[in-house]
Amino acid sequence: MKKMLLLLVIICVTGFVFGQSDEQRQAMDLVRKNQSSIGLSDADISNAIVSDTYVNKTSGTRLVYLQQTYLGIPVYNQIHVLSFKNGKLVYQSGGRISSMDKKVNNRDGVPSIYAETAVHAALADRKLFPTKAAMVSRSEVNGHFIEFNDMGVSREPITARLMWVPTDDHSVKLAWLVYVIPVTSSDYWMIRVDAGNKRILGMD
């Protein structure tokens, strides 16, 4: 289950980083045509993005992963999984958080701490000690996604992605999702770091 959750988050991140393909735009058109069946308002549609979509050739259905957003920032683990056949909705699961404006801890979606600071907090929490200075190799989506070097502790470049993260107290916090694959184990870690105070909110 946790591996599937992490996979869905990675799909979401990839969709935001590289933008929307023609196929994803067509999938969103399909969502709009079926929005009443899905139970989405116009505001819900404007605060969503297709993070992935593909056709199941065996069943002839199109799968659409619809990611909730707020202020253009994705909401962690809030994904509608939709299945369409002949242009009609045949199955859906998942959901979205209502009244985001009343639940977020940050009104403008601007982080108080830098992505690099969040990366260091995440590594410290996992007891990983960098042997190389953090170097930015790529920045996308207005600085909401940043790729660093491996810092001597990861088998792949370390990334930080800005997202809204629901918490146990029913609030939604702005956070950096730090993705690292430690050289010391076979784990893949997605660590959620509060973008206001560096507190660790959780990990998958």
Side-chain angles (χ1 to χ4, degrees):
M1 182 64 184
K2 286 184 177 293
K3 288 183 178 179
M4 180 59 69
L5 176 61
L6 183 56
L7 176 60
L8 286 175
V9 172
I10 292 170
I11 288 172
C12 159
V13 169
T14 303
F16 271 85
V17 172
F18 296 105
Q20 298 290 276
S21 66
D22 288 340
E23 193 171 9
Q24 286 170 309
R25 283 188 284 270
Q26 292 169 13
M28 183 58 85
D29 288 341
L30 195 58
V31 169
R32 290 191 183 96
K33 290 175 183 176
N34 289 270
Q35 73 177 81
S36 60
S37 298
I38 302 168
L40 298 176
S41 66
D42 289 342
D44 292 335
I45 294 287
S46 65
N47 284 287
I49 190 171
V50 174
S51 59
D52 195 26
T53 181
Y54 65 91
V55 173
N56 184 321
K57 294 181 180 179
T58 302
S59 63
T61 56
R62 173 171 287 280
L63 271 293
V64 176
Y65 295 89
L66 190 69
Q67 172 75 48
Q68 183 180 5
T69 67
Y70 181 69
L71 299 178
I73 300 168
V75 184
Y76 180 77
N77 201 29
Q78 297 303 306
I79 300 175
H80 263 114
V81 181
L82 307 170
S83 179
F84 301 92
K85 191 166 187 176
N86 299 323
K88 301 294 184 181
L89 179 73
V90 294
Y91 173 81
Q92 68 169 312
S93 65
R96 58 193 295 116
I97 296 173
S98 61
S99 304
M100 283 286 293
D101 59 323
K102 297 179 177 65
K103 296 174 181 175
V104 296
N105 70 331
N106 185 310
R107 296 298 177 186
D108 55 14
V110 177
S112 299
I113 66 169
Y114 293 114
E116 181 180 341
T117 303
V119 167
H120 280 287
L123 296 181
D125 179 73
R126 295 290 89 204
K127 295 181 172 51
L128 296 174
F129 305 101
T131 59
K132 301 176 186 176
M135 300 288 290
V136 175
S137 58
R138 183 161 56 103
S139 178
E140 303 279 353
V141 201
N142 298 320
H144 290 180
F145 175 87
I146 299 177
E147 181 181 275
F148 296 88
N149 58 331
D150 60 27
M151 297 175 66
V153 295
S154 179
R155 285 179 277 135
E156 292 184 8
I158 297 169
T159 62
R161 177 74 172 94
L162 197 64
M163 294 189 90
W164 298 105
V165 174
T167 62
D168 292 338
D169 63 1
H170 303 294
S171 65
V172 182
K173 298 185 182 298
L174 190 65
W176 289 103
L177 266 69
V178 178
Y179 180 56
V180 58
I181 307 175
V183 295
T184 55
S185 74
S186 59
D187 292 334
Y188 291 67
W189 289 337
M190 187 75 78
I191 305 145
R192 303 184 291 281
V193 182
D194 193 310
N197 58 20
K198 300 190 298 181
R199 186 168 69 88
I200 303 301
L201 299 176
M203 183 197 74
D204 292 307

